[in-house]
Short mmCIF file of all heavy atoms in Angstrom, two decimals:
data_model
loop_
_atom_site.label_atom_id
_atom_site.label_comp_id
_atom_site.label_asym_id
_atom_site.label_seq_id
_atom_site.Cartn_x
_atom_site.Cartn_y
_atom_site.Cartn_z
N GLY A 1 -21.58 1.53 19.70
CA GLY A 1 -21.77 1.92 18.30
C GLY A 1 -20.45 2.25 17.63
O GLY A 1 -19.70 3.10 18.12
N LYS A 2 -20.16 1.56 16.53
CA LYS A 2 -18.91 1.78 15.83
C LYS A 2 -18.92 3.15 15.15
O LYS A 2 -19.89 3.53 14.51
CB LYS A 2 -18.69 0.68 14.78
CG LYS A 2 -17.30 0.69 14.18
CD LYS A 2 -17.06 -0.53 13.32
CE LYS A 2 -15.64 -0.54 12.78
NZ LYS A 2 -15.37 -1.75 11.97
N ARG A 3 -17.82 3.88 15.32
CA ARG A 3 -17.72 5.22 14.77
C ARG A 3 -16.93 5.22 13.47
O ARG A 3 -16.06 4.40 13.27
CB ARG A 3 -17.06 6.16 15.79
CG ARG A 3 -17.90 6.28 17.06
CD ARG A 3 -17.11 6.90 18.19
NE ARG A 3 -17.88 6.87 19.42
CZ ARG A 3 -18.66 7.86 19.83
NH1 ARG A 3 -18.74 8.97 19.11
NH2 ARG A 3 -19.34 7.76 20.95
N ARG A 4 -17.21 6.19 12.64
CA ARG A 4 -16.52 6.33 11.37
C ARG A 4 -15.07 6.72 11.62
O ARG A 4 -14.79 7.59 12.46
CB ARG A 4 -17.22 7.37 10.51
CG ARG A 4 -16.62 7.53 9.12
CD ARG A 4 -17.41 8.55 8.32
NE ARG A 4 -16.82 8.78 7.01
CZ ARG A 4 -17.02 8.02 5.96
NH1 ARG A 4 -17.81 6.96 6.06
NH2 ARG A 4 -16.45 8.29 4.81
N LEU A 5 -14.16 6.07 10.89
CA LEU A 5 -12.74 6.39 11.04
C LEU A 5 -12.46 7.82 10.61
O LEU A 5 -13.00 8.30 9.61
CB LEU A 5 -11.89 5.44 10.20
CG LEU A 5 -11.51 4.09 10.79
CD1 LEU A 5 -10.71 3.31 9.76
CD2 LEU A 5 -10.70 4.24 12.07
N ARG A 6 -11.61 8.49 11.36
CA ARG A 6 -11.15 9.81 10.95
C ARG A 6 -10.33 9.70 9.66
O ARG A 6 -9.71 8.67 9.41
CB ARG A 6 -10.29 10.44 12.03
CG ARG A 6 -11.03 10.86 13.29
CD ARG A 6 -10.05 11.52 14.24
NE ARG A 6 -10.67 11.81 15.52
CZ ARG A 6 -11.32 12.95 15.81
NH1 ARG A 6 -11.40 13.88 14.86
NH2 ARG A 6 -11.84 13.14 16.99
N ARG A 7 -10.30 10.78 8.92
CA ARG A 7 -9.51 10.79 7.69
C ARG A 7 -8.03 10.62 8.02
O ARG A 7 -7.28 9.99 7.25
CB ARG A 7 -9.74 12.10 6.95
CG ARG A 7 -9.07 12.15 5.60
CD ARG A 7 -9.37 13.45 4.89
NE ARG A 7 -8.73 13.50 3.59
CZ ARG A 7 -8.78 14.54 2.78
NH1 ARG A 7 -9.46 15.61 3.13
NH2 ARG A 7 -8.15 14.50 1.61
N SER A 8 -7.59 11.15 9.16
CA SER A 8 -6.18 11.05 9.56
C SER A 8 -5.77 9.61 9.84
O SER A 8 -4.58 9.29 9.83
CB SER A 8 -5.91 11.92 10.79
OG SER A 8 -6.74 11.53 11.88
N LEU A 9 -6.74 8.72 10.09
CA LEU A 9 -6.46 7.30 10.28
C LEU A 9 -6.75 6.49 9.02
O LEU A 9 -6.04 5.51 8.74
CB LEU A 9 -7.30 6.76 11.44
CG LEU A 9 -6.88 7.15 12.85
CD1 LEU A 9 -7.96 6.77 13.85
CD2 LEU A 9 -5.56 6.50 13.23
N ARG A 10 -7.75 6.91 8.28
CA ARG A 10 -8.17 6.14 7.10
C ARG A 10 -7.16 6.27 5.96
O ARG A 10 -6.81 5.26 5.32
CB ARG A 10 -9.55 6.62 6.65
CG ARG A 10 -10.20 5.74 5.60
CD ARG A 10 -11.66 6.13 5.38
NE ARG A 10 -11.82 7.48 4.87
CZ ARG A 10 -12.28 8.50 5.59
NH1 ARG A 10 -12.63 8.32 6.85
NH2 ARG A 10 -12.41 9.71 5.06
N VAL A 11 -6.67 7.46 5.71
CA VAL A 11 -5.74 7.68 4.60
C VAL A 11 -4.42 6.93 4.79
O VAL A 11 -3.95 6.25 3.86
CB VAL A 11 -5.50 9.19 4.37
CG1 VAL A 11 -4.38 9.42 3.36
CG2 VAL A 11 -6.79 9.86 3.90
N PRO A 12 -3.76 7.01 5.96
CA PRO A 12 -2.48 6.31 6.11
C PRO A 12 -2.55 4.80 5.91
O PRO A 12 -1.65 4.22 5.30
CB PRO A 12 -2.06 6.65 7.56
CG PRO A 12 -2.73 7.93 7.86
CD PRO A 12 -4.04 7.86 7.14
N ILE A 13 -3.61 4.15 6.39
CA ILE A 13 -3.65 2.69 6.28
C ILE A 13 -3.84 2.26 4.83
O ILE A 13 -3.19 1.31 4.35
CB ILE A 13 -4.72 2.07 7.20
CG1 ILE A 13 -4.52 0.55 7.24
CG2 ILE A 13 -6.13 2.43 6.76
CD1 ILE A 13 -5.33 -0.15 8.31
N TYR A 14 -4.69 2.96 4.08
CA TYR A 14 -4.86 2.61 2.66
C TYR A 14 -3.60 2.94 1.87
O TYR A 14 -3.20 2.17 0.98
CB TYR A 14 -6.06 3.35 2.08
CG TYR A 14 -7.39 2.85 2.60
CD1 TYR A 14 -8.41 3.72 2.98
CD2 TYR A 14 -7.63 1.48 2.71
CE1 TYR A 14 -9.62 3.26 3.46
CE2 TYR A 14 -8.85 1.01 3.19
CZ TYR A 14 -9.83 1.90 3.57
OH TYR A 14 -11.03 1.42 4.04
N LEU A 15 -2.97 4.06 2.19
CA LEU A 15 -1.74 4.44 1.50
C LEU A 15 -0.62 3.46 1.81
O LEU A 15 0.16 3.09 0.92
CB LEU A 15 -1.34 5.86 1.92
CG LEU A 15 -0.17 6.50 1.16
CD1 LEU A 15 -0.46 6.55 -0.33
CD2 LEU A 15 0.10 7.90 1.70
N LYS A 16 -0.55 3.00 3.06
CA LYS A 16 0.48 2.04 3.45
C LYS A 16 0.30 0.71 2.71
O LYS A 16 1.29 0.11 2.24
CB LYS A 16 0.43 1.81 4.96
CG LYS A 16 1.43 0.79 5.51
CD LYS A 16 2.85 1.25 5.36
CE LYS A 16 3.80 0.26 6.03
NZ LYS A 16 5.22 0.63 5.82
N PHE A 17 -0.92 0.24 2.58
CA PHE A 17 -1.16 -1.00 1.84
C PHE A 17 -0.79 -0.83 0.37
O PHE A 17 -0.22 -1.75 -0.24
CB PHE A 17 -2.63 -1.42 1.98
CG PHE A 17 -2.91 -2.27 3.18
CD1 PHE A 17 -3.61 -1.77 4.26
CD2 PHE A 17 -2.45 -3.58 3.25
CE1 PHE A 17 -3.86 -2.55 5.37
CE2 PHE A 17 -2.69 -4.37 4.36
CZ PHE A 17 -3.40 -3.85 5.43
N CYS A 18 -1.08 0.33 -0.20
CA CYS A 18 -0.74 0.57 -1.62
C CYS A 18 0.77 0.59 -1.81
O CYS A 18 1.29 -0.03 -2.76
CB CYS A 18 -1.35 1.90 -2.07
SG CYS A 18 -3.14 1.87 -2.24
N THR A 19 1.50 1.30 -0.95
CA THR A 19 2.95 1.38 -1.11
C THR A 19 3.61 0.03 -0.88
O THR A 19 4.52 -0.36 -1.61
CB THR A 19 3.55 2.42 -0.15
OG1 THR A 19 3.19 2.10 1.22
CG2 THR A 19 3.06 3.82 -0.48
N ALA A 20 3.15 -0.72 0.14
CA ALA A 20 3.73 -2.04 0.42
C ALA A 20 3.48 -3.00 -0.74
O ALA A 20 4.38 -3.73 -1.16
CB ALA A 20 3.16 -2.60 1.72
N ALA A 21 2.26 -3.00 -1.26
CA ALA A 21 1.93 -3.89 -2.39
C ALA A 21 2.75 -3.51 -3.63
O ALA A 21 3.26 -4.38 -4.33
CB ALA A 21 0.44 -3.82 -2.69
N PHE A 22 2.89 -2.22 -3.88
CA PHE A 22 3.64 -1.76 -5.04
C PHE A 22 5.10 -2.20 -4.95
O PHE A 22 5.68 -2.68 -5.92
CB PHE A 22 3.56 -0.24 -5.15
CG PHE A 22 4.34 0.33 -6.31
CD1 PHE A 22 3.78 0.38 -7.57
CD2 PHE A 22 5.63 0.80 -6.14
CE1 PHE A 22 4.49 0.90 -8.65
CE2 PHE A 22 6.36 1.31 -7.21
CZ PHE A 22 5.78 1.37 -8.46
N MET A 23 5.71 -2.05 -3.75
CA MET A 23 7.12 -2.42 -3.60
C MET A 23 7.33 -3.93 -3.72
O MET A 23 8.31 -4.38 -4.31
CB MET A 23 7.65 -1.92 -2.26
CG MET A 23 7.81 -0.41 -2.22
SD MET A 23 8.65 0.14 -0.75
CE MET A 23 7.55 -0.47 0.53
N CYS A 24 6.41 -4.71 -3.18
CA CYS A 24 6.54 -6.17 -3.30
C CYS A 24 6.46 -6.60 -4.76
O CYS A 24 7.24 -7.45 -5.21
CB CYS A 24 5.44 -6.85 -2.49
SG CYS A 24 5.67 -6.74 -0.70
N LEU A 25 5.53 -6.01 -5.51
CA LEU A 25 5.41 -6.35 -6.93
C LEU A 25 6.62 -5.84 -7.72
O LEU A 25 7.07 -6.50 -8.66
CB LEU A 25 4.12 -5.75 -7.49
CG LEU A 25 2.81 -6.36 -6.97
CD1 LEU A 25 1.61 -5.58 -7.48
CD2 LEU A 25 2.70 -7.83 -7.38
N THR A 26 7.14 -4.67 -7.34
CA THR A 26 8.28 -4.10 -8.04
C THR A 26 9.52 -4.97 -7.91
O THR A 26 10.27 -5.15 -8.88
CB THR A 26 8.58 -2.69 -7.49
OG1 THR A 26 7.45 -1.85 -7.73
CG2 THR A 26 9.80 -2.08 -8.18
N ILE A 27 9.75 -5.52 -6.72
CA ILE A 27 10.90 -6.41 -6.51
C ILE A 27 10.82 -7.59 -7.47
O ILE A 27 11.82 -7.98 -8.09
CB ILE A 27 10.94 -6.88 -5.04
CG1 ILE A 27 11.32 -5.72 -4.12
CG2 ILE A 27 11.92 -8.04 -4.86
CD1 ILE A 27 11.22 -6.02 -2.65
N CYS A 28 9.63 -8.14 -7.60
CA CYS A 28 9.43 -9.28 -8.51
C CYS A 28 9.66 -8.87 -9.96
O CYS A 28 10.32 -9.58 -10.73
CB CYS A 28 8.02 -9.83 -8.33
SG CYS A 28 7.75 -11.43 -9.11
N VAL A 29 9.16 -7.70 -10.36
CA VAL A 29 9.31 -7.21 -11.73
C VAL A 29 10.78 -7.01 -12.08
O VAL A 29 11.25 -7.42 -13.15
CB VAL A 29 8.53 -5.89 -11.92
CG1 VAL A 29 8.91 -5.23 -13.25
CG2 VAL A 29 7.03 -6.15 -11.88
N PHE A 30 11.54 -6.40 -11.18
CA PHE A 30 12.96 -6.16 -11.44
C PHE A 30 13.74 -7.46 -11.61
O PHE A 30 14.65 -7.55 -12.43
CB PHE A 30 13.58 -5.32 -10.31
CG PHE A 30 13.42 -3.84 -10.51
CD1 PHE A 30 12.73 -3.06 -9.59
CD2 PHE A 30 13.95 -3.22 -11.63
CE1 PHE A 30 12.59 -1.70 -9.77
CE2 PHE A 30 13.80 -1.84 -11.83
CZ PHE A 30 13.13 -1.09 -10.90
N HIS A 31 13.38 -8.49 -10.83
CA HIS A 31 14.08 -9.76 -10.96
C HIS A 31 13.71 -10.50 -12.25
O HIS A 31 14.53 -11.21 -12.82
CB HIS A 31 13.82 -10.65 -9.75
CG HIS A 31 14.66 -10.29 -8.56
ND1 HIS A 31 14.25 -9.39 -7.61
CD2 HIS A 31 15.90 -10.68 -8.19
CE1 HIS A 31 15.18 -9.24 -6.70
NE2 HIS A 31 16.20 -10.01 -7.03
N PHE A 32 12.48 -10.31 -12.73
CA PHE A 32 12.10 -10.91 -14.01
C PHE A 32 12.79 -10.20 -15.18
O PHE A 32 12.87 -10.75 -16.28
CB PHE A 32 10.58 -10.86 -14.20
CG PHE A 32 9.87 -12.06 -13.64
CD1 PHE A 32 9.10 -11.96 -12.48
CD2 PHE A 32 9.97 -13.29 -14.27
CE1 PHE A 32 8.45 -13.07 -11.97
CE2 PHE A 32 9.31 -14.41 -13.76
CZ PHE A 32 8.56 -14.30 -12.60
N HIS A 33 13.29 -9.00 -14.94
CA HIS A 33 13.94 -8.23 -16.00
C HIS A 33 15.46 -8.45 -16.02
O HIS A 33 16.18 -7.68 -16.64
CB HIS A 33 13.64 -6.73 -15.81
CG HIS A 33 14.12 -5.87 -16.94
ND1 HIS A 33 13.61 -5.98 -18.23
CD2 HIS A 33 15.07 -4.91 -16.99
CE1 HIS A 33 14.24 -5.11 -19.01
NE2 HIS A 33 15.12 -4.43 -18.30
N THR A 34 15.95 -9.48 -15.35
CA THR A 34 17.39 -9.72 -15.31
C THR A 34 17.94 -10.22 -16.65
O THR A 34 19.14 -10.20 -16.86
CB THR A 34 17.73 -10.76 -14.23
OG1 THR A 34 16.97 -11.96 -14.48
CG2 THR A 34 17.40 -10.22 -12.85
N GLY A 35 17.05 -10.68 -17.53
CA GLY A 35 17.51 -11.16 -18.83
C GLY A 35 17.84 -12.65 -18.85
O GLY A 35 18.31 -13.17 -19.86
N ALA A 36 17.61 -13.33 -17.72
CA ALA A 36 17.89 -14.77 -17.67
C ALA A 36 16.87 -15.54 -18.52
O ALA A 36 15.74 -15.09 -18.73
CB ALA A 36 17.84 -15.25 -16.22
#
């Protein structure tokens, strides 16, 4: 029987995906702002 994830495991993985996605998008945004 699959058990519910602890909060100590659930929060880090969602937070990690959010931070990684934000940084990847930010890199793209900064390069589009070069003025070229």
Side-chain angles (χ1 to χ4, degrees):
K2 190 171 183 179
R3 297 165 186 268
R4 183 178 177 83
L5 275 178
R6 290 183 186 271
R7 186 178 180 183
S8 58
L9 286 169
R10 191 170 62 253
V11 171
I13 191 169
Y14 290 136
L15 188 58
K16 178 67 175 175
F17 273 108
C18 289
T19 56
F22 179 84
M23 289 189 300
C24 289
L25 292 173
T26 298
I27 289 172
C28 192
V29 168
F30 274 119
H31 280 91
F32 271 108
H33 187 64
T34 56

